[in-house]
Amino acid sequence: MEIEIQGIPQSLRPQYQTRLRTAKADLTRYKKTSKDLHTQHSRTDLLASPGRASTPTSDEPYGATSDRTRLLAGTAMLEDGTRRLQESQRVALETEDQGAEILVNLRAQREQIENARDTLRTADTAIDRASGTLRKMIRRMYQQRVVTAAIIVLLVLFIAIIIWEKLFR
């Protein structure tokens, strides 16, 4: 309801906020009253014993049969609650152990990923260096081809000049 009040125009918002506060206060009061009545009813059920004799007889050393039955039922409920609590505690411990194992596995996997990342960075650096070296080699190859072609052209030119000199002079 508080979220819906935020969507209401500013002019109407204080009126609804007041109503919401009073409704919350009423709800809290009703919950407390209900809890008190439930506690009181449980107490009277536990302590009340219809047809209870004022003093136990030798045939009934623990008082009326209904009191003994209620005590046994209460003991059984207590034992059942204890058993369920122990079972819940066991499950919680198992869950905690499994969570710890999962955290250890995740930590190991994180280290593996970090190591793989470092290896990839190293390989990337090596590939970059190799690529630069190959580019330099290719550039030198082209330079050597140009120089070789220039030498061949000069030799052919010199041969042509020598032949021309010999034939025409």
Side-chain angles (χ1 to χ4, degrees):
M1 291 178 81
E2 293 173 350
I3 295 172
E4 290 180 11
I5 287 177
Q6 292 175 357
I8 294 176
Q10 285 284 16
S11 60
L12 299 174
R13 195 176 293 174
Q15 175 188 2
Y16 285 105
Q17 285 177 335
T18 305
R19 287 177 65 187
L20 180 63
R21 272 190 236 112
T22 56
K24 281 184 178 181
D26 289 343
L27 179 63
T28 305
R29 189 183 61 209
Y30 291 140
K31 281 183 180 180
K32 185 180 182 307
T33 304
S34 172
K35 184 178 177 183
D36 291 343
L37 288 174
H38 178 70
T39 304
Q40 186 179 16
H41 179 63
S42 296
R43 187 175 298 136
T44 50
D45 278 351
L46 184 63
L47 297 176
S49 60
R52 179 177 168 180
S54 60
T55 57
T57 62
S58 62
D59 292 338
E60 295 180 12
Y62 300 110
T65 308
S66 62
D67 287 345
R68 183 163 190 226
T69 305
R70 277 190 285 145
L71 284 173
L72 289 174
T75 303
M77 282 178 33
L78 183 62
E79 289 173 353
D80 184 51
T82 303
R83 181 189 53 76
R84 284 189 285 160
L85 183 61
Q86 289 172 345
E87 179 67 20
S88 297
Q89 203 169 23
R90 184 188 61 79
V91 169
L93 290 174
E94 286 177 4
T95 305
E96 185 178 345
D97 289 343
Q98 288 176 354
E101 287 177 20
I102 289 170
L103 286 175
V104 168
N105 289 339
L106 287 174
R107 184 174 294 126
Q109 289 175 0
R110 179 181 181 186
E111 290 173 3
Q112 287 176 347
I113 290 171
E114 287 174 351
N115 289 338
R117 186 178 295 148
D118 291 342
T119 303
L120 284 174
R121 284 185 187 135
T122 304
D124 189 39
T125 304
I127 288 171
D128 286 344
R129 270 192 255 134
S131 176
T133 304
L134 284 174
R135 271 190 242 117
K136 286 178 186 177
M137 290 172 65
I138 290 171
R139 192 176 323 119
R140 285 184 186 157
M141 179 191 70
Y142 285 130
Q143 286 174 350
Q144 288 174 356
R145 279 187 182 176
V146 168
V147 169
T148 304
I151 290 173
I152 290 173
V153 167
L154 283 176
L155 286 175
V156 168
L157 188 63
F158 286 140
I159 291 173
I161 290 174
I162 291 174
I163 292 176
W164 187 71
E165 285 287 324
K166 292 232 175 197
L167 288 177
F168 296 112
R169 272 198 185 185

